[in-house]
Amino acid sequence: MIVRDVVTRFAPSPTGRLHLGHAYSAVLAHDLARASGGRFLLRIEDIDGTRSRPEHVDAILADLAWLGLEWDGPVLFQSTREDAYAAALARLRAMGLLYPCFCTRAEIAASQSAPHGPEPVYPGTCRALPEAERTARITAGVPHAWRLDMARAVATADTDLMWTDAIAGPVRADPLAQGDVVLARKDALASYHLAVTVDDAAHGVTHVVRGADLFAATDVHRLLQALLGLPTPLYHHHALLVGPDGQRLAKRNDAPTLESVRLRGEDGRALADRLRAGGAGIGIAPQSA
């Protein structure tokens, strides 16, 4: 498929400072757009109202400018998109594909002896609740999320759920492996899965550039695209940067922030060039496949 007007985006969450891994992803997305004369968008994923901070937004803008990356158009904020997420949820609810979930994280973790990765696959506890009990709990104000009934959703989609990755090639989606994912959280406008799918379509994103850690999540996004009648972009899941210890660069692993690198007197544009070379000269390298 030939895409004439390439649109990419960088979509960080303002819950902390950007690190070198973020910079790597931003540079790749920026360069893909510029190489084709396309557009590079900046979207702030600030739907987590308890952790998002205005000072982190300011820091993101400063870090990107220091790297020499310029985005097109105004900065986009997910916190302004409540109506779009509500409309998507209403459509899925009308299709009978959502159900309220009252379980806590601790209850879900305790229900499984062998969790699948950092987030255990939901066992479907609340899917079996009688409608009267669901209504009673909601009426009583019991906090709840909204989950996608995955088996029913896949059957409803009734289409060949294929998507294409620039590295892996054609991929047949297997969203059932993700279980009944959350689409509306107890404490936020929407989950990552719903918000990113709706926003990429609304913003005309044609190429999604992001880390390989989100490869499996794309199966869920492809399903949502089918259910909501949204276009499917091309994907480029790049390798993750790792430090000298072999651990991936991440906030939870105390990865060096761009701010700390800048304060050491590093030149941001030179750093971006080294990232384009795959981390050469900065003591990090892409994670091997």
Side-chain angles (χ1 to χ4, degrees):
M1 181 175 70
I2 298 176
V3 180
R4 299 187 183 279
D5 299 313
V6 171
V7 180
T8 67
R9 48 73 167 175
F10 177 55
S13 299
T15 56
R17 303 289 180 171
L18 296 186
H19 55 66
L20 291 167
H22 291 124
Y24 184 52
S25 194
V27 166
L28 292 180
H30 171 273
D31 289 1
L32 177 59
R34 294 292 177 254
S36 61
R39 302 174 63 228
F40 172 62
L41 308 180
L42 174 60
R43 183 172 72 223
I44 303 298
E45 300 198 337
D46 58 343
I47 54 175
D48 189 338
T50 61
R51 298 173 60 220
S52 297
R53 296 287 184 271
E55 59 268 26
H56 294 322
V57 175
D58 293 339
I60 288 169
L61 304 185
D63 285 339
L64 294 180
W66 175 66
L67 290 167
L69 306 182
E70 297 181 356
W71 56 91
D72 298 295
V75 179
L76 308 168
F77 290 87
Q78 283 190 333
S79 56
T80 68
R81 303 270 299 150
E82 182 174 4
D83 290 347
Y85 306 145
L89 289 167
R91 181 170 177 177
L92 295 170
R93 194 174 291 115
M95 297 167 70
L97 302 180
L98 301 184
Y99 63 88
C101 174
F102 307 92
C103 298
T104 64
R105 288 178 180 270
E107 289 170 340
I108 296 171
S111 70
Q112 299 192 3
S113 58
H116 300 264
E119 290 287 341
V121 174
Y122 183 64
T125 306
C126 290
R127 189 191 323 120
L129 287 178
E131 188 62 35
E133 184 172 347
R134 292 177 179 174
T135 301
R137 292 192 186 188
I138 293 175
T139 301
V142 179
H144 59 281
W146 287 91
R147 289 186 179 273
L148 182 68
D149 186 328
M150 190 61 77
R152 182 174 295 182
V154 170
T156 300
D158 191 29
T159 188
D160 195 10
L161 297 174
M162 299 292 298
W163 57 275
T164 301
D165 183 79
I167 299 174
V171 179
R172 186 177 302 279
D174 181 22
L176 287 171
Q178 304 294 315
D180 293 355
V181 297
V182 169
L183 294 188
R185 292 166 40 188
K186 298 176 182 179
D187 57 352
L189 303 176
S191 72
Y192 169 77
H193 291 305
L194 183 73
V196 74
T197 303
V198 170
D199 287 345
D200 282 343
H203 298 149
V205 174
T206 62
H207 292 65
V208 173
V209 179
R210 61 189 181 192
D213 55 324
L214 291 169
F215 191 96
T218 309
D219 289 353
V220 176
H221 304 167
R222 178 65 187 93
L223 173 61
L224 291 175
Q225 290 156 3
L227 294 171
L228 296 171
L230 303 177
T232 300
L234 299 176
Y235 291 87
H236 181 137
H237 290 94
H238 59 75
L240 304 177
L241 291 187
V242 298
D245 59 357
Q247 295 295 312
R248 60 169 287 204
L249 299 182
K251 292 178 184 177
R252 64 175 177 270
N253 294 334
D254 294 324
T257 66
L258 297 186
E259 180 186 42
S260 66
V261 177
R262 184 169 66 250
L263 292 176
R264 291 203 305 261
E266 295 276 355
D267 181 271
R269 292 174 183 268
L271 173 62
D273 285 340
R274 293 198 295 276
L275 288 168
R276 291 182 175 98
I282 55 177
I284 54 177
Q287 188 177 53
S288 59

